[in-house]
């Protein structure tokens, strides 16, 4: 039996602080249970959905924060609400679809009814039949209902929290990370162009480490190098938020290199036999006016905003068990895309997702770790690339943002 | 379509043969000549029933030329890293929905099991092909194949085409 908020030894972290992570953190049921209590139900903001997915009153999305099923709604008053997807009576799910439109939620089991704001508004046979049976007179509906979440929005993204203590989302992100969200989403009308779910055969933290791992990108993912798609003219950096949990990794066309004619020639020089038969995959348009061709942004504990050229997507990481994780991809366009721009986004979507030229490996590599570490819970990973701290860095050959994650993780977990 | 109009049954056999050859190519020849089953300008999209119903255009794979299909295979051969695996397709009978000057619209259900390096065999995908075939020089070629997977979830990754 797992007892929430309790964790059996070993709980020691090896010497070396942030640059060592013991493998038992990816393997233990009691750690997983503690994560649910202290992280997902704790002082964190969790991505729920996009505002555009609940545009009209009555629209709802059913999702999860960690293990906990939640419903996000747009109520009659135009506001967004989120509450547990669980009947107050005896615990059945209230919403049985991933999304839809509803006037209220009526539990299928015994027909207790809830408003779009998550208030218990009706109980079937409350007064019994013919004066017999029914609920006690003093039962107070207002006192019973699914737990309501704090909700916040940020440029079309909807986040929820079980905590009243977590600071406002802007503060939670930190100024620098916030600016990078603004860069992609501010003032724009989002449009969903596809939704896909990927089942990852590994602990959720292995995927989140991977997202924050700028060291592996050009090593594990060989697509760009194989096809000689030149990346030398790129400069970039890593931003790690003050508290460690959030990060941005970006690369940009270096304007100095770009002006250099030799560099332009370099771009078409070839040594490998491999060329794209149809290079239209690489067509792109300047969308942000800053030359940044890649920006990967993560928010503790499980949100990613991705810009790879014109391929924009959000990813939601949902742990399902110690060794299983659900990764939800939502591919985005904007309502003012021209048909040509939309086509470019559709073609570039080949780069990402479960079949992505530069992301399919991320779907399997977490499983390679999960299987690789079997039987050695007391061993640790080594993460000293770029030193031992969790600071922003001009180099992307660093594991600083992963160390930042562990800094935040250990603080919230108190381990 | 060119030449003498084909009878319903000739058409059915032509398409059934094309489908059988396609699955053999993917399952037993690591999809090496897979692009040859398509016309030069074609559309190949792998999506899910939810996306298809919602009219979302993006795919897990999205190609609008045979060249893009060739690039898929080159990338699988040369660039992408994934554990050794293979598929076995089981196809239903092609359901010829419509025949016009533009081509032959066909729907076919499929089931794909994936066989992993460690011997694990599991149902990887089920769904339907929504196809448009054209007949060129006696061969049925795909001008369009929308692979609509029934489930919204892909296990681990999608490497070989469906
Ligand atoms: S469990 Fe919902 S009404 Fe009984
Ligand atoms: Fe990666």
């Amino acid at each position: 039996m797992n007892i929430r908020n309790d964790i059996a030894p070993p709980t020691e972290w090896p010497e070396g602080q942030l640059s060592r992570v013991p493998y038992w953190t990816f393997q233990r049921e009691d750690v997983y249970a503690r994560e649910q209590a202290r992280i997902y139900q704790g002082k964190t903001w969790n991505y729920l959905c996009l505002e555009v997915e609940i545009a009209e009153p009555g629209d709802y999305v059913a999702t999860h924060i960690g293990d906990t099923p939640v419903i996000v709604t747009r109520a009659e008053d135009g506001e967004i609400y989120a509450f547990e997807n669980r009947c107050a009576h005896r615990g059945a799910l209230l919403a049985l679809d991933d999304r839809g439109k509803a006037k209220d939620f009526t539990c299928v089991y015994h027909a207790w009814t809830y408003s779009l704001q998550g208030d218990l508004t009706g109980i079937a046979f409350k007064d019994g039949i013919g004066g017999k049976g029914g609920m006690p007179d003093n039962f107070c509906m207002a006192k019973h209902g699914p737990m309501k979440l704090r909700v916040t929005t940020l440029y079309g993204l909807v986040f929820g929290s079980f905590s009243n203590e977590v600071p406002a989302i802007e503060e939670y992100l930190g100024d620098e990370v916030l600016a990078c969200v603004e860069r992609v989403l501010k003032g724009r009308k989002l449009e969903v162009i596809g939704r896909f779910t990927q089942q990852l055969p590994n602990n959720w933290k292995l995927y989140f480490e991977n997202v924050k791992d700028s060291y592996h990108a050009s090593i594990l993912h060989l697509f760009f190098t194989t096809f000689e798609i030149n990346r030398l003219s790129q400069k970039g950096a890593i931003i790690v938020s003050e508290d460690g949990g959030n990060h941005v990794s970006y690369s940009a066309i270096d304007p100095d290199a770009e002006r250099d004619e030799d560099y332009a020639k370099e771009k078409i020089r070839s040594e490998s036999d491999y060329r794209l038969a149809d290079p239209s995959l690489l067509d792109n348009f300047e969308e942000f006016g800053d030359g940044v061709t890649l920006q990967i942004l993560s928010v503790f504990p499980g949100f990613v905003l991705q810009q790879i050229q014109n391929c924009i997507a959000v990813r939601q990481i949902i742990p399902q068990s110690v060794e299983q994780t659900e990764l939800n991809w939502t591919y985005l366009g904007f309502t003012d895309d021209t048909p040509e721009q939309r086509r470019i986004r559709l073609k570039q979507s080949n780069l990402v997702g479960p079949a992505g030229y530069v992301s399919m490996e991320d779907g399997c590599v977490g499983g390679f770790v999960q299987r690789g570490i079997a039987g050695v819970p007391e061993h640790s990973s080594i993460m000293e690339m770029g030193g031992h701290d969790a600071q922003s860095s001009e180099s992307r050959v660093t594991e600083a943002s992963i160390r930042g994650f562990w800094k935040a993780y250990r603080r919230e977990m108190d381990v | 379509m060119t030449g003498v109009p084909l009878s319903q049954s000739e058409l059915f056999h032509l398409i059934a043969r094309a489908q059988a050859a396609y699955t053999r190519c993917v399952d037993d020849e690591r999809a090496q000549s897979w692009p040859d089953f398509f016309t030069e300008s074609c559309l190949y999209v792998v999506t899910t029933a939810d996306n298809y119903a919602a009219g979302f255009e993006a795919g897990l794979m999205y190609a609008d030329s045979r060249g893009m299909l060739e690039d898929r295979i080159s990338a699988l051969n040369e660039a992408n890293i994934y554990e050794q695996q293979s598929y076995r397709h089981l196809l239903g009978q092609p359901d010829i929905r419509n025949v016009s000057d533009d081509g032959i619209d066909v729907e076919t259900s499929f089931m794909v099991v994936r066989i992993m390096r460690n011997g694990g065999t599991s149902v990887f995908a089920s769904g339907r092909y929504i196809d448009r075939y054209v007949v060129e020089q006696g061969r049925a070629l795909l001008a369009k194949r929308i692979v609509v997977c029934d489930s919204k979830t892909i296990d681990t990754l999608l490497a070989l085409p469906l």
Side-chain angles (χ1 to χ4, degrees):
Chain A
M1 189 180 96
N2 293 315
I3 300 164
R4 287 220 156 164
N5 283 319
D6 201 8
I7 182 167
T11 57
E12 321 78 48
W13 220 263
E15 291 299 313
Q17 294 287 326
L18 298 176
S19 47
R20 293 289 183 280
V21 173
Y23 292 143
W24 52 259
T25 55
F26 305 111
Q27 297 172 324
R28 283 173 35 179
E29 295 283 352
D30 58 345
V31 173
Y32 184 86
R34 190 176 171 94
E35 288 165 352
Q36 294 298 321
R38 297 191 66 109
I39 294 178
Y40 292 100
Q41 295 177 22
K43 290 177 278 178
T44 55
W45 283 111
N46 295 271
Y47 171 79
L48 298 175
C49 64
L50 301 168
E51 273 192 83
V52 69
E53 293 177 294
I54 44 170
E56 305 285 329
D59 289 348
Y60 73 88
V61 166
T63 182
H64 288 82
I65 293 182
D67 284 342
T68 311
V70 300
I71 303 177
V72 198
T73 66
R74 174 87 60 180
E76 296 87 346
D77 62 359
E79 298 295 316
I80 297 172
Y81 295 85
F83 47 92
E84 289 180 310
N85 184 6
R86 185 178 67 239
C87 183
H89 178 220
R90 273 159 56 195
L93 290 172
L94 294 173
L96 298 173
D97 289 318
D98 288 345
R99 59 195 70 247
K101 207 164 180 78
K103 286 204 293 290
D104 52 35
F105 294 95
T106 301
C107 179
V108 294
Y109 203 169
H110 316 89
W112 287 30
T113 301
Y114 303 84
S115 71
L116 291 169
Q117 303 189 16
D119 295 317
L120 176 60
T121 53
I123 293 177
F125 303 118
K126 183 167 183 288
D127 301 322
I129 294 176
K132 298 210 173 75
M135 294 290 281
D137 290 339
N138 62 358
F139 182 80
C140 175
M141 290 206 291
K143 282 195 188 142
H144 295 84
M147 189 197 276
K148 295 186 183 185
L149 278 70
R150 258 177 88 191
V151 172
T152 193
T153 60
L154 184 72
Y155 304 119
L157 309 170
V158 182
F159 291 85
S161 180
F162 284 103
S163 166
N164 287 320
E165 290 164 53
V166 67
I169 188 80
E170 292 82 1
E171 192 185 328
Y172 183 83
L173 292 179
D175 289 344
E176 285 183 293
V177 175
L178 177 63
C180 294
V181 178
E182 286 179 355
R183 181 185 159 270
V184 179
L185 298 179
K186 189 177 182 181
R188 308 182 77 188
K189 283 211 170 68
L190 291 170
E191 187 180 333
V192 174
I193 61 171
R195 285 192 202 104
F196 300 100
T197 298
Q198 193 172 3
Q199 188 70 38
L200 303 173
N202 53 262
N203 188 272
W204 66 276
K205 301 187 291 299
L206 291 172
Y207 185 76
F208 209 46
E209 277 194 327
N210 173 277
V211 167
K212 289 171 178 282
D213 178 358
S214 50
Y215 173 33
H216 84 283
S218 62
I219 302 169
L220 175 66
H221 307 302
L222 295 173
F223 180 77
F224 283 118
T225 34
T226 301
F227 291 95
E228 298 257 319
I229 298 157
N230 197 306
R231 308 182 87 195
L232 290 178
S233 60
Q234 307 261 303
K235 66 182 173 70
I238 300 280
I239 299 165
V240 184
S241 68
E242 184 84 16
D243 78 333
N246 315 313
H247 105 292
V248 180
S249 167
Y250 70 90
S251 61
I253 292 164
D254 184 341
D256 298 332
E258 206 55 7
R259 275 196 295 275
D260 188 332
E261 268 203 37
D262 290 341
Y263 231 110
K265 281 198 202 110
E266 186 80 10
K267 260 183 149 174
I268 50 167
R269 190 177 57 86
S270 96
E271 272 166 15
S272 118
D273 290 339
Y274 299 106
R275 281 292 158 287
L276 289 179
D278 184 348
S280 69
L281 176 73
L282 303 169
D283 288 350
N284 58 76
F285 59 97
E286 181 57 63
E287 187 165 4
F288 304 101
D290 56 8
V292 173
T293 53
L294 175 141
Q295 178 188 287
I296 304 293
L297 180 154
S298 72
V299 178
F300 187 83
F303 172 73
V304 181
L305 171 64
Q306 155 222 301
Q307 176 230 333
I308 299 177
Q309 298 180 345
N310 305 106
C311 182
I312 320 286
V314 296
R315 308 179 207 163
Q316 179 192 34
I317 302 166
I318 301 180
Q320 293 184 312
S321 69
V322 171
E323 294 195 353
Q324 287 290 329
T325 302
E326 184 177 282
L327 177 61
N328 291 316
W329 297 80
T330 306
Y331 296 2
L332 299 174
F334 297 93
T335 52
D336 58 358
D337 285 348
T338 65
E340 294 73 31
Q341 289 173 337
R342 183 57 59 85
R343 198 171 182 78
I344 284 170
R345 293 194 206 282
L346 294 174
K347 289 196 184 209
Q348 289 182 358
S349 65
N350 282 294
L351 296 171
V352 302
Y357 285 135
V358 295
S359 74
M360 78 167 72
E361 290 88 3
D362 297 326
C364 61
V365 78
F368 296 165
V369 176
Q370 192 80 46
R371 283 147 63 191
I373 64 178
V376 287
E378 70 287 3
H379 286 223
S380 301
S381 58
I382 301 167
M383 289 188 295
E384 298 191 21
M385 200 54 71
H388 297 270
D389 63 19
Q391 308 287 319
S392 297
S393 144
E394 299 239 315
S395 165
R396 281 173 299 153
V397 188
T398 176
E399 290 168 313
S401 36
I402 313 177
R403 289 190 291 270
F405 166 70
W406 289 107
K407 180 174 143 187
Y409 178 88
R410 292 180 64 178
R411 183 186 61 236
E412 297 310 319
M413 287 285 281
D414 194 21
V415 288
Chain B
M1 289 177 63
T2 52
V4 189
L6 298 163
S7 73
Q8 280 282 335
S9 115
E10 284 170 325
L11 217 45
F12 182 89
H13 282 282
L14 202 60
I15 287 163
R17 277 211 303 278
Q19 312 251 51
Y22 178 104
T23 57
R24 181 174 209 290
C25 166
V26 173
D27 295 354
D28 298 307
E29 292 156 16
R30 296 190 55 248
Q32 295 302 299
S33 57
W34 170 68
D36 299 345
F37 291 89
F38 293 81
T39 56
E40 183 79 42
S41 125
C42 57
L43 182 67
Y44 175 78
V45 182
V46 181
T47 186
T48 69
D50 285 350
N51 282 281
Y52 191 76
F56 295 148
E57 287 181 281
L60 293 160
M61 295 185 187
Y62 184 98
D64 64 0
S65 72
R66 193 194 279 155
M68 287 186 79
L69 302 177
E70 288 164 7
D71 292 333
R72 259 293 155 192
I73 301 306
S74 317
L76 288 180
N77 291 344
E78 306 299 332
N80 287 125
I81 291 161
Y82 50 96
E83 242 177 325
Q84 194 187 310
Q85 54 189 271
S86 63
Y87 294 161
R88 182 64 58 195
H89 281 72
L90 295 173
L91 265 57
Q93 302 283 339
D95 177 14
I96 298 176
R97 311 283 302 168
N98 188 42
V99 181
S100 72
D101 288 344
D102 297 333
I104 309 138
D105 293 328
V106 184
E107 286 189 23
T108 312
S109 60
F110 66 83
M111 173 105 83
V112 176
V113 294
R114 184 172 62 179
I115 304 93
M116 298 300 294
R117 176 177 72 97
N118 65 5
T121 300
S122 59
V123 176
F124 179 60
S126 68
R128 58 181 166 143
Y129 293 129
I130 299 178
D131 294 335
R132 169 159 295 174
Y133 278 96
V134 293
V135 179
E136 283 178 12
Q137 283 145 15
R139 263 189 86 201
L141 294 177
L142 286 160
K144 182 185 82 174
R145 167 156 281 186
I146 312 295
V147 184
V148 182
C149 297
D150 294 325
S151 168
K152 65 176 181 176
T153 302
I154 292 288
D155 179 56
T156 310
L157 55 76
L158 173 67
L160 291 160
L162 289 167

